[in-house]
């Protein structure tokens, strides 16, 4: 065995295109005869066909290659050649072949049920599909950070164990906190982020949020990654602009970075381009009801928009849309009452195109302590538990607002996935918390 092995990734080896290279990875496919063996090798960067001839590598190495199982890990030395018949256009003529880790018979092969793949999620992550999604996911997280830092925001962290609800008691996960009651997993960073704008003014985070969602839908997880921002002195319109800005930046970065992955996922990139090119349509809740009525859907004023209504709206546009000024009764206690109409709030939902539903929810924040207390009471909450939060309105309160973006919902949309579960490595839902 050579000692001066300098490994290239498969992508680097393909870029080099000729000469002798060392590569390493996992056996993705294998077939062959007793003299000639074809192994398609996979690493994080790509796959490549490797040809192993007994006459070249000798009996001992060929013997190992001949018995190799899918997903065994190997190191290979050979000559790169262009070959239009090979799956990725290149072939490696193998000169040396070394087994690193043998593999038991890999449980995942073709046509397995969704349940089986979910049970074997730890192995399914190696699939071409999941690898592509995970790369795009990495781009999305990077783009969110980049956008907010570019705009002068500080990264800031709220606790995950929280003592109050933010988004309604019905989806709270209560934890056994040393037998103490009233400790919950975070639904949102927001109530612990607002106190920090008095120090940092512009802040953001990407953190897990938890919702005890009893619905089994293609858009709900019980644990999801939540990108949130909060900004002092910001107007409602400025908050909405950041929503549009960060979504555009995400799509831009994915289109720049992940063309190969989008191809593997068979994503029609034309469907993403309008998001970059066009301003997003804005409409009020009232406008939305008029549009829905034209499409045969009667929504009684004061009812929240349901999935079916969001889907009808979303299919009318090729970019996300911003729906504003929802009835106060359907929105969270902290959203600012519209000074022009006390029945609605300065809240916004961004609804993704192609039926991907609500991808961002945000608002300007109510400044009036009495109004906040009344709305907490109307929700069955004891305002006393919120004293620390109400202090944000007592000591130099300023206009401010923010939003939260469901990162997996955005990834599902960008990747064109059927289900949000494939946007996260180990999805958690009401019925799935293992492995
Ligand atoms: O609309 P939501 O509930 O808003 C908040 O939590 C605010 N406190 C955010 C803020 O202003 N800082 O949630 C925000 C977003 C939704 O628009 C949706 O994209 C996503 O979080 N989301 C979920 N994603 C996956 N699974 C779930 N169960 C989700 N619930 C909400
Ligand atoms: Mg919402």
């Amino acid at each position: 065995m050579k000692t001066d092995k300098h490994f290239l990734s498969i992508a680097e080896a393909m870029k080099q295109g000729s000469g002798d290279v060392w590569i390493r990875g996992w056996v993705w496919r294998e077939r062959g005869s007793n003299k000639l063996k074809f192994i398609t090798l996979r690493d994080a960067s790509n796959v490549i066909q490797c040809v192993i001839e007994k006459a070249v590598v000798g009996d001992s190495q060929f013997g190992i290659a001949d018995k190799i199982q899918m997903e065994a890990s190997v190191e290979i030395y050979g000559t790169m050649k262009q070959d239009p018949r090979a799956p990725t256009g290149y072939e490696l003529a193998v000169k040396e072949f070394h087994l690193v880790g043998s593999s038991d018979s890999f449980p995942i092969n073709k046509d397995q049920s969704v349940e089986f793949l979910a049970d074997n999620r730890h192995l399914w992550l190696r699939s071409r599909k999941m690898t592509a999604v995970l790369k795009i996911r990495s781009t999305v997280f990077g783009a969110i950070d980049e956008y907010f830092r570019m705009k002068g925001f500080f990264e800031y962290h709220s606790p995950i164990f929280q003592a109050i609800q933010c988004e309604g008691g019905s989806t709270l996960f209560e934890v056994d906190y040393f037998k103490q009651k009233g400790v919950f997993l975070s639904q949102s960073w927001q109530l612990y982020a607002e106190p920090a704008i008095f120090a940092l003014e512009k802040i953001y985070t990407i953190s897990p949020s938890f919702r005890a969602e009893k619905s089994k839908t293609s858009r709900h997880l019980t644990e999801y990654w939540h990108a949130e921002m909060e900004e002092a002195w910001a107007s409602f319109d400025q908050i909405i602009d950041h929503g549009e800005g960060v979504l555009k930046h995400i799509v831009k970065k994915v289109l720049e970075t992940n063309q190969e992955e989008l191809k593997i996922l068979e994503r029609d990139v034309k469907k993403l381009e309008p998001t970059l090119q066009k301003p997003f349509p804005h409409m009020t809740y009232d406008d939305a009801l008029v549009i829905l009525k034209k499409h045969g859907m009667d929504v009684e004023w004061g009812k929240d928009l349901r999935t079916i209504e969001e889907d009808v709206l979303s299919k009318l546009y090729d970019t996300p849309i911003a729906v504003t000024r929802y009835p106060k009764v359907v929105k969270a206690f902290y959203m600012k009452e519209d000074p022009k109409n006390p029945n609605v709030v300065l809240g916004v939902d961004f609804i993704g195109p192609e039926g991907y539903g609500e991808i961002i929810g945000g608002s300007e924040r109510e400044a009036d302590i009495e109004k906040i207390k009344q709305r907490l009471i109307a929700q069955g909450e004891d305002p006393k538990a919120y004293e620390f939060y109400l202090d944000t309105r007592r000591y130099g309160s300023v206009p401010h607002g923010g939003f939260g973006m469901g990162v997996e919902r955005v990834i599902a949309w960008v990747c064109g996935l059927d289900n949000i579960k494939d946007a996260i490595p180990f999805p958690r839902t009401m019925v799935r918390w293992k492995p």
Side-chain angles (χ1 to χ4, degrees):
M1 204 198 278
K2 285 197 171 46
T3 48
D4 57 339
K5 289 185 263 181
H6 171 65
F7 290 96
L8 298 186
S9 72
I10 291 172
E12 287 165 344
M14 282 168 47
K15 204 164 166 205
Q16 183 177 307
S18 62
D20 288 353
V21 297
W22 276 104
I23 59 172
R24 58 186 160 188
W26 293 266
V27 174
W28 190 49
R29 304 231 190 293
E30 50 82 24
R31 67 191 162 86
S33 64
N34 55 4
K35 289 202 184 72
L36 192 64
K37 179 101 188 163
F38 293 94
I39 286 178
T40 311
L41 195 73
R42 141 186 105 63
D43 71 3
S45 71
N46 209 333
V47 300
I48 188 170
Q49 178 166 294
C50 305
V51 188
I52 307 162
E53 269 185 86
K54 195 187 216 163
V56 178
V57 298
D59 285 354
S60 144
Q61 288 186 13
F62 191 85
I64 294 166
D66 196 30
K67 283 193 223 68
I68 203 111
Q69 298 252 44
M70 232 177 98
E71 290 304 325
S73 50
V74 297
E75 295 177 348
I76 301 181
Y77 181 68
T79 312
M80 286 295 295
K81 276 189 215 146
Q82 229 166 340
D83 185 342
R85 290 162 308 172
T88 45
Y90 284 90
E91 196 173 83
L92 192 76
V94 178
K95 292 178 169 174
E96 275 195 47
F97 180 90
H98 302 292
L99 180 67
V100 176
S102 62
S103 178
D104 291 356
S105 174
F106 200 64
I108 299 177
N109 38 53
K110 279 208 172 92
D111 303 324
Q112 252 131 0
S113 71
V114 173
E115 257 330 273
F116 183 86
L117 294 180
D119 287 337
N120 288 281
R121 190 74 173 179
H122 54 298
L123 300 176
W124 181 236
L125 294 183
R126 306 179 184 201
S127 63
R128 290 275 273 167
K129 175 181 176 176
M130 282 311 299
T131 305
V133 172
L134 293 176
K135 284 183 188 174
I136 292 173
R137 184 179 165 96
S138 172
T139 304
V140 170
F141 275 68
I144 296 167
D145 273 317
E146 192 175 75
Y147 176 84
F148 285 115
R149 284 169 184 269
M150 206 160 63
K151 298 285 177 185
F153 283 70
F154 293 101
E155 183 167 358
Y156 165 81
H157 304 105
S158 282
I160 297 293
F161 290 131
Q162 299 184 356
I164 47 177
Q165 62 81 38
C166 181
E167 298 301 327
S170 69
T171 61
L172 272 180
F173 274 112
E174 186 158 9
V175 286
D176 178 354
Y177 198 82
F178 307 108
K179 309 285 171 230
Q180 216 95 233
K181 296 297 272 179
V183 183
F184 313 102
L185 295 181
S186 170
Q187 293 170 311
S188 164
W189 83 328
Q190 183 189 325
L191 304 186
Y192 295 83
E194 286 181 60
I197 60 160
F198 298 88
L200 300 171
E201 298 191 25
K202 296 161 84 161
I203 52 178
Y204 82 97
T205 197
I206 317 177
S207 164
S209 275
F210 302 87
R211 305 277 169 110
E213 302 279 1
K214 287 178 193 80
S215 47
K216 288 180 231 163
T217 74
S218 59
R219 351 180 137 154
H220 288 94
L221 296 166
T222 51
E223 174 181 321
Y224 70 98
W225 286 75
H226 203 172
E228 298 186 82
M229 60 80 73
E230 195 73 28
E231 186 175 4
W233 312 104
S235 67
F236 185 43
D237 286 337
Q238 285 171 325
I239 300 299
I240 298 173
D241 285 349
H242 278 307
E244 179 160 349
V246 71
L247 288 170
K248 281 189 148 76
H249 193 66
I250 290 168
V251 169
K252 175 169 175 271
K253 288 309 244 186
V254 170
L255 289 177
E256 277 170 16
T257 318
N258 299 110
Q259 287 294 334
E260 279 305 314
E261 288 72 36
L262 292 166
K263 215 176 286 163
I264 289 168
L265 297 171
E266 296 175 14
R267 179 62 165 135
D268 180 358
V269 292
K270 288 214 171 55
K271 295 204 166 138
L272 295 173
E273 283 160 3
T275 292
L276 276 191
Q277 292 150 358
K278 295 186 193 172
F280 298 176
H282 291 200
M283 66 180 73
T284 63
Y285 169 89
D286 287 6
D287 296 335
L289 293 202
V290 172
I291 295 169
L292 286 168
K293 197 170 175 96
K294 274 195 206 133
H295 289 82
M297 298 187 101
D298 257 317
V299 180
E300 193 190 326
W301 197 95
K303 292 264 180 281
D304 205 357
L305 300 182
R306 295 168 301 171
T307 303
I308 45 165
E309 283 116 19
E310 284 180 355
D311 284 354
V312 168
L313 282 180
S314 106
K315 287 186 175 134
L316 297 173
Y317 304 92
D318 54 6
T319 71
I321 57 175
V323 183
T324 60
R325 295 181 160 79
Y326 281 77
K328 189 160 68 186
V329 288
V330 302
K331 287 297 186 190
F333 71 92
Y334 53 74
M335 292 195 183
K336 186 180 171 69
E337 207 176 273
D338 184 348
K340 294 192 197 114
N341 176 2
N343 295 321
V344 304
V345 286
L346 298 182
V348 59
D349 281 359
F350 282 75
I351 298 171
E354 301 172 69
Y356 281 95
E358 181 197 326
I359 50 180
I360 288 182
S363 78
E364 187 170 338
R365 313 308 188 192
E366 182 56 77
D368 183 325
I369 292 194
E370 284 316 310
K371 284 184 177 155
I372 297 178
K373 282 187 182 167
Q374 280 162 22
R375 283 163 71 192
L376 280 168
I377 291 164
Q379 244 183 268
E381 292 292 317
D382 179 1
K384 279 204 198 73
Y386 294 76
E387 274 303 306
F388 86 89
Y389 177 71
L390 297 174
D391 274 354
T392 56
R393 312 308 202 250
R394 289 190 181 113
Y395 305 103
S397 182
V398 290
H400 67 285
F403 63 70
M405 176 171 82
V407 184
E408 284 77 17
R409 290 205 184 159
V410 171
I411 294 167
W413 159 51
V414 170
C415 294
L417 304 175
D418 296 335
N419 196 302
I420 193 168
K421 285 187 278 190
D422 282 332
I424 187 164
F426 290 94
R428 267 57 180 125
T429 65
M430 192 170 106
V431 295
R432 168 69 61 183
W433 57 92
K434 289 191 275 191

